[in-house]
Amino acid sequence: MSTIPAARTGRRSWALLLVLCGAIFLEGSDVAILAVAIPTIRADLSLTTGTAAWVMSGYVLGYAGFTLLGGRAADLLGRRRMFLTWLGVFLVFSLLGGLATDGWMLVAARFATGVAAAFMTPAAMSIITTSYPQGPQRDKAMLVFAGVGAGGFSLGLVIGGLLTEVGWRWVFFAPVFLTGAILLAALRLLPSEGRSGPAERGYDLPGAASAAATMLLFAYGIIRLEHRGEGIELTLGALAAGLVLVAAFILIERRAKAPLVRLGIFRKATMVRADLAALLFLGAFFGFQFIVTLYLQELRGWSSLQAAIALIAMGCDAVLAPTLIPRLVNRYGNSRVVFGGFLLAVVAYGLFLPVGMDWSYAAMFPSLIIAGTAFAFAYGPLTIAATDSVAKEEQGLAGGLLYTFTQFGSAVGISAVTAVYGATAAGADASPGTVLDAYRTALVVPVAMVLLGAAVSAFGLRSTRIAGQRKSAGPAAGDEVNDGAPG
């Protein structure tokens, strides 16, 4: 896919970005919409607690398990082809989810929808990074893309509450109409592309199989930590088997003529640092949001719609990401903006630690608005840093790695706060005071994650200073500048 020349950046380039943003909005809102509707679905279909949990977890399992493969498939098989194909799969299984009459049908539909998102989302991201010229133009497109995705999640909470009032099946049917509109627009706007070079040399099928199996085992093991009361042996066994497959995957990739993942890509310090920071930031963000939702609904007795409207303050990132953040990145560089985002997150989550039994919304609001602002500061610039130093032919892989880390981060964050909360509030008859103490203890997890993330991102500040010194002295042969600042 060719880069859009500066002279042609007009209506068509913005229309293309709108289509791709529609896909990421669909992905973000789809998760949030279902999260609000789960209690109603459970009651209507008489689902067990375990089945209801797996309706949500099935999506995460499919998404996290296949994102790495999906990202590389975009490079090998064509970004346009993968985006359109899996957008269609997303539409079909969203429709089937709305027609489900039993729990297993819902779980299967959600798993397949997650797999579709795992192929569709990295393809959309790599279309941006290969269609817009590197520098401020691409940076702004990436920031808009990330902001729309985050805004989709925030708005999805409210949309889910409204759709559930009409009927829970509309939680699945409504995305079908949006998906269909995006698919029709994408067929017209996405430029055609030829078969890529790596695909002509063959496919690394053993690498693909081992990568998918590894990610599935890790995702399954992490998700099981959320499901209290189930055997720990199976959880540990899944994680141990995943580690064994990691070693097998590395051996396969070293010997493959056309590897699924070129292992040398992990030498790019900026990319690896951005992926790790994204894992920690997303894990903390979703862990915090999960605990706040439990606090509002279980302890305070708020309805799902009331809780969703309260949390919409965190969606301020949808406004800040395309307006304020590009200016900050252009002036200070990605590293400083990301680090500022982590510091804001520490403040936001720390302010919520002393949460009380009867806190007013005014007392909660500073944490929620600062958390949304922190997301705007960190997430968009992290997506830029994760792809900026990567060659065009590996942009899909870089996007797949980023989304793999973010999906695992969200799973780890929610599992960790769930485990801490469950251990502290042991017993179904725990008093309100005990439950409140459990919430406070669980909130330590996101605080710890963003503190660790701030430490990781601080290395980027050091790289920026070193890069600046090298630039002023003149680059040495073979030096790689990893400042993450826009070109």
Side-chain angles (χ1 to χ4, degrees):
M1 187 171 293
S2 58
T3 302
I4 299 174
R8 294 178 56 198
T9 54
R11 292 182 179 179
R12 189 173 182 84
S13 66
W14 279 107
L16 173 62
L17 181 59
L18 181 63
V19 167
L20 299 173
C21 285
I24 196 65
F25 179 88
L26 179 71
E27 183 268 336
S29 62
D30 184 71
V31 178
I33 288 173
L34 185 63
V36 176
I38 279 292
T40 303
I41 296 173
R42 176 185 175 185
D44 188 51
L45 296 183
S46 302
L47 303 181
T48 64
T49 301
T51 301
W54 278 108
V55 171
M56 288 295 295
S57 300
Y59 181 89
V60 177
L61 186 64
Y63 201 152
F66 288 89
T67 305
L68 179 60
L69 181 58
R72 194 55 178 148
D75 293 328
L76 297 176
L77 303 176
R79 300 175 180 97
R80 183 181 192 274
R81 187 178 297 113
M82 287 294 97
F83 181 79
L84 294 175
T85 299
W86 290 97
L87 189 61
V89 174
F90 193 99
L91 185 153
V92 170
F93 280 95
S94 292
L95 178 62
L96 292 178
L99 299 174
T101 57
D102 205 347
W104 70 266
M105 296 175 65
L106 272 179
V107 173
R110 292 305 293 167
F111 177 80
T113 306
V115 173
F119 283 82
M120 174 184 74
T121 308
M125 183 176 175
S126 63
I127 288 172
I128 292 178
T129 57
T130 56
S131 297
Y132 294 83
Q134 187 172 5
Q137 186 181 339
R138 182 195 293 179
D139 291 348
K140 186 167 185 177
M142 291 291 287
L143 291 170
V144 172
F145 184 73
V148 169
F153 187 88
S154 302
L155 292 176
L157 294 171
V158 179
I159 295 170
L162 294 173
L163 290 175
T164 304
E165 293 294 323
V166 177
W168 68 262
R169 293 186 185 277
W170 281 101
V171 166
F172 294 91
F173 293 148
V176 171
F177 295 103
L178 177 59
T179 307
I182 296 171
L183 187 57
L184 291 174
L187 285 168
R188 178 180 177 83
L189 289 169
L190 266 63
S192 60
E193 57 187 357
R195 189 178 176 89
S196 59
E200 295 171 353
R201 296 197 303 269
Y203 303 105
D204 178 18
L205 295 180
S210 60
T214 300
M215 296 298 102
L216 281 170
L217 285 168
F218 277 140
Y220 179 70
I222 292 170
I223 289 170
R224 280 187 60 88
L225 296 175
E226 303 172 29
H227 300 207
R228 299 189 301 274
E230 298 184 11
I232 192 64
E233 295 84 2
L234 186 56
T235 301
L236 295 177
L239 295 174
L243 289 173
V244 172
L245 280 179
V246 167
F249 175 73
I250 292 173
L251 289 175
I252 291 171
E253 296 307 279
R254 282 180 173 175
R255 297 176 180 177
K257 294 182 179 179
L260 178 74
V261 178
R262 184 180 63 84
L263 298 179
I265 196 172
F266 293 104
R267 297 193 186 101
K268 296 186 178 295
T270 301
M271 185 201 76
V272 173
R273 185 168 54 245
D275 289 343
L276 289 173
L279 183 152
L280 292 164
F281 190 87
L282 269 292
F285 183 83
F286 283 108
F288 172 75
Q289 191 173 64
F290 181 70
I291 289 297
V292 173
T293 303
L294 288 181
Y295 165 75
L296 293 177
Q297 294 191 46
E298 292 189 353
L299 192 63
R300 301 295 297 276
W302 292 21
S303 69
S304 58
L305 183 57
Q306 287 175 316
I309 293 174
L311 292 175
I312 201 172
M314 298 174 72
C316 65
D317 59 317
V319 177
L320 296 175
T323 55
L324 174 64
I325 304 305
R327 299 178 185 179
L328 295 178
V329 169
N330 190 47
R331 181 170 181 178
Y332 300 107
N334 285 324
S335 298
R336 293 185 180 92
V337 177
V338 168
F339 187 69
F342 272 102
L343 295 182
L344 285 173
V346 172
V347 173
Y349 306 153
L351 286 175
F352 214 87
L353 283 174
V355 60
M357 189 73 71
D358 55 353
W359 263 24
S360 66
Y361 184 67
M364 307 176 210
F365 186 77
S367 284
L368 301 179
I369 196 73
I370 295 173
T373 304
F375 197 100
F377 270 63
Y379 186 61
L382 282 172
T383 64
I384 297 172
T387 57
D388 240 11
S389 61
V390 179
K392 180 179 179 179
E393 60 271 15
E394 292 185 320
Q395 284 293 321
L397 173 59
L401 286 169
L402 174 64
Y403 281 107
T404 297
F405 274 77
T406 57
Q407 285 299 308
F408 275 102
S410 62
V412 168
I414 294 175
S415 296
V417 297
T418 300
V420 173
Y421 169 75
T424 309
D429 56 347
S431 67
T434 302
V435 172
L436 181 62
D437 288 339
Y439 290 144
R440 290 170 176 166
T441 305
L443 283 168
V444 174
V445 174
V447 173
M449 292 184 77
V450 287
L451 283 171
L452 181 57
V456 171
S457 64
F459 284 98
L461 301 177
R462 180 174 177 272
S463 297
T464 300
R465 288 194 297 270
I466 293 174
Q469 293 168 1
R470 288 178 177 175
K471 183 178 290 188
S472 62
D479 280 350
E480 179 183 355
V481 176
N482 288 325
D483 64 346

